[in-house]
Amino acid sequence: MNDNAPRTGLYGLMAEFTTPEQLLDAANKTYAAGYRQMDAYSPMPVEGLADAIGFRKHYVSQAVLAAGLTGCVGGFSLLYWIAKIAYAHNVAGRPFNSWPAFIPITFECTVLLSALMAVFGMFAMNGLPQPYHPVFNVPEFARATKDRFFLCVEAADPLFDKERTREFLSTLTAYEVADVEN
Amino acid sequence: MKTEEVVRPIPPDIDPGPDHVLGPGHDIATVTDRISGVIYQPLAKTPKPWFFAFAAAFALLQLLLIAAAWLFYKGVGVWGIVIPIAWGFAIVNFVWWIGIGHAGTLISAILLLLKQDWRTSINRFSEAMTLFAVACAGMFPILHLGRPWLAYWLLPYPNSMWLWPQPRSPLLWDVFAVSTYATVSLLFWLTGLVPDFATMRDTSKHQWQRVLFGMLSLGWRGSAKHWSRYQMAYLILAGLSTPLVVSVHTVVSFDFAISILPGWHTTIFPPYFVAGAIYSGFAMVITLAIPTRKWFHMEGLITMRHLEAAAKVMLGTGLIVAYGYAMEAFISWYSGNPYESFMYWNRMTGPYWWSYVMLISCNIAIPQLLWIRKVRLNLTALFIISIIVNVGMWLERFVIVITSLHRDFLPSSWGMYYPTIWDWATFIGTIGLFTTLMWLFVRFVPMLAMFEVREDLHHMQHTGAYEVKPLPAHGD
């Protein structure tokens, strides 16, 4: 995506569909036609849609795993350091590093950091919060969060040609094809 | 291609009975309009009972403020706590509230992993309940501190005296468990709300609402790439919350079980606390869902299917709790430990015998009525039973805390606990806080997860479980 490009001219062409099946079918056909710079918009998750537009690696699980391990190691180290180094005192002859007693807090730290990463990492990777996006310039796009389904082929795609792409999109079962201004 | 559009009217709110999760005649647009319509209706058009319920809740909230102010001014002496019963209502209420929260997490996380169809409509609602219940729970240990302004001493932080909290103590585990639980519940709830706020942003007719919801929605635009990451994050949150919810009440039970006090020092506490938490939480879901769906005419979205399933979970977890009580009684006899057996005998026949009798009737005897399908499908009966279970679960914590503490090993250190008016005011006040937040939530935030209802509807349509009637073409 050309997020840093100057905000003038055409961002892409957007086809509107009335059902998720039509959108999925159109996304598959558009990908098969060779387009790569595109995105699909739907009011609810549609199974297989991300695959259809060629988006496969989202790295959310990897980020969460890394955060979880950090929480796990960090939590345990904190307790170890408190109980054995910073404030070591003998409680009824128990070993300073009484690790079984550290498990609950270690677990909670693991969950806490994983959850924070799952949410904030996911939003960050999605580039949110992002108040402005060209797709919002299409008036019909307001229904993308309610009951309409959209496919946007971006002008940044090497195959993109305003006329030919519009022609291609109208061979799909699109309800309407609109220009997306930057 | 483009034709003049026919819009489906919102169908009447009909309860489709105990076999369906959605009333007839909907499509993805009408469910959206139906749920967001609650928020868009003018304030004056809000159902009257909502105003009465909100006024009552808000009045009780003032009681909490008064009770807390008096407590901060005078100190914990205004409560009935004495030695040996240093843990009075504060801990009873803490455990009760945090237990109530557990049903919300169970519904949103565990039922998501189990792919239960009746989860979707009530998950947002129960997550909110979790959040508000945890807020009430979290206040009690702090109010009980005596010097609540020093609550940050509970956390490990580098202080000038180089003192650190004791990591071997379940009380510190509790600090981590409850604060993690509160944080994760909030994240789960807010993450679920983002796509719905985007819907509100795009459907609102008022500029200020569009700006407000636009900020809250973080610019969500429903991109397939975003949904892909979002769903993975949501699934991970569910997977994390499932062991988390079990760990939280386990750690709460450790507050008791790790001690050596008869009546507390038992290995059955963790599983039976977790089951009890889910039991009381589902009771609270039913208590809140029945009036809410009636006031806002949500019968087509919160159906008998949801309520009956919740009733069945209540019955099941109630039986686990019954097993817990039976095992406690059995072990106190079978162990041959005189302190253990005295504790249980005292619990049943001592000065607090009435609380034990009420506990068994509220938690074990009366809920058995739920075996009868007619009772499960009768809203009045279900509502009353859910309140009884709420009371019963509060009594359970009262019995565990008070009867175990008041007579331990040495008769010379026995005592009695009499809650004062300030104990009651604080407790009832938190009910005010909880219901105030809850009623504000159902009126001003989408109480059901719109995008998940849409997803479910589409899924059911595919599997043939739900029929969306085709719209008549324009001009027909």
Side-chain angles (χ1 to χ4, degrees), chain B residues 143-380:
Chain B
L143 292 176
H144 192 221
L145 283 177
R147 289 186 289 170
W149 51 93
L150 298 178
Y152 64 93
W153 284 12
L154 292 164
L155 300 168
Y157 72 102
N159 53 62
S160 56
M161 311 251 260
W162 211 241
L163 283 169
W164 296 87
Q166 171 56 274
R168 299 178 193 91
S169 162
L171 298 181
L172 187 66
W173 306 350
D174 225 13
V175 172
F176 277 85
V178 174
S179 49
T180 300
Y181 185 50
T183 313
V184 174
S185 303
L186 181 68
L187 288 175
F188 210 161
W189 189 67
L190 286 175
T191 307
L193 275 167
V194 165
D196 278 3
F197 282 142
T199 304
M200 305 291 294
R201 171 198 66 203
D202 294 340
T203 54
S204 175
K205 288 184 180 63
H206 301 285
Q207 178 67 20
W208 68 269
Q209 284 182 347
R210 283 203 294 273
V211 171
L212 176 70
F213 287 123
M215 284 193 273
L216 292 171
S217 69
L218 310 177
W220 182 264
R221 53 186 190 273
S223 146
K225 298 171 188 173
H226 292 186
W227 276 125
S228 164
R229 292 196 187 96
Y230 181 91
Q231 280 196 298
M232 181 46 80
Y234 206 64
L235 195 65
I236 289 173
L237 274 183
L240 290 168
S241 302
T242 303
L244 176 66
V245 71
V246 173
S247 87
V248 172
H249 229 60
T250 299
V251 167
V252 169
S253 83
F254 282 167
D255 292 342
F256 301 91
I258 301 282
S259 77
I260 53 161
L261 191 78
W264 287 4
H265 187 59
T266 96
T267 50
I268 200 156
F269 260 31
Y272 128 61
F273 264 55
V274 173
I278 294 164
Y279 187 34
S280 62
F282 270 89
M284 191 57 98
V285 168
I286 292 175
T287 309
L288 296 171
I290 289 176
T292 306
R293 80 170 210 147
K294 193 173 158 61
W295 298 340
F296 295 103
H297 305 291
M298 289 302 222
E299 285 91 349
L301 285 153
I302 303 175
T303 72
M304 281 317 293
R305 165 90 181 112
H306 300 103
L307 295 173
E308 200 204 1
K312 283 179 183 167
V313 174
M314 214 162 80
L315 181 61
T317 47
L319 290 172
I320 303 176
V321 170
Y323 174 80
Y325 297 162
M327 228 2 94
E328 264 189 321
F330 172 74
I331 293 294
S332 68
W333 165 74
Y334 186 71
S335 67
N337 182 321
Y339 301 108
E340 280 286 330
S341 44
F342 170 76
M343 176 280 300
Y344 220 81
W345 187 247
N346 179 54
R347 192 175 273 186
M348 291 187 292
T349 63
Y352 292 106
W353 64 271
W354 52 268
S355 64
Y356 189 77
V357 171
M358 278 173 70
L359 163 69
I360 298 297
S361 356
C362 290
N363 264 4
I364 313 289
I366 296 169
Q368 300 311 314
L369 287 170
L370 294 173
W371 285 102
I372 307 162
R373 190 177 156 89
K374 260 195 180 146
V375 175
R376 289 200 303 270
L377 297 182
N378 182 325
L379 286 178
T380 319

Side-chain angles (χ1 to χ4, degrees), chain A residues 20-21 39-43 58 81 87 96 98 101 108 125-126 129-130 133 142-143 145-148 174-175, chain B residues 1-3 5 29 33 163-164 168 173 199 202 218 221-224 226-229 244 247 454 458 462:
Chain A
E21 290 78 15
D39 206 344
Y41 301 89
S42 58
H58 50 55
W81 182 76
Y87 196 48
F96 290 135
S98 39
E108 302 301 340
M125 283 189 252
N126 282 347
Q130 183 184 358
H133 193 277
R143 292 178 70 178
T145 53
K146 186 180 170 192
D147 60 349
R148 281 296 158 92
Y175 182 78
Chain B
M1 275 305 236
K2 197 171 180 183
T3 49
E5 208 188 335
D33 288 337
L163 283 169
W164 296 87
R168 299 178 193 91
W173 306 350
T199 304
D202 294 340
L218 310 177
R221 53 186 190 273
S223 146
H226 292 186
W227 276 125
S228 164
R229 292 196 187 96
L244 176 66
S247 87
R454 288 194 291 259
H458 178 243
H462 259 271

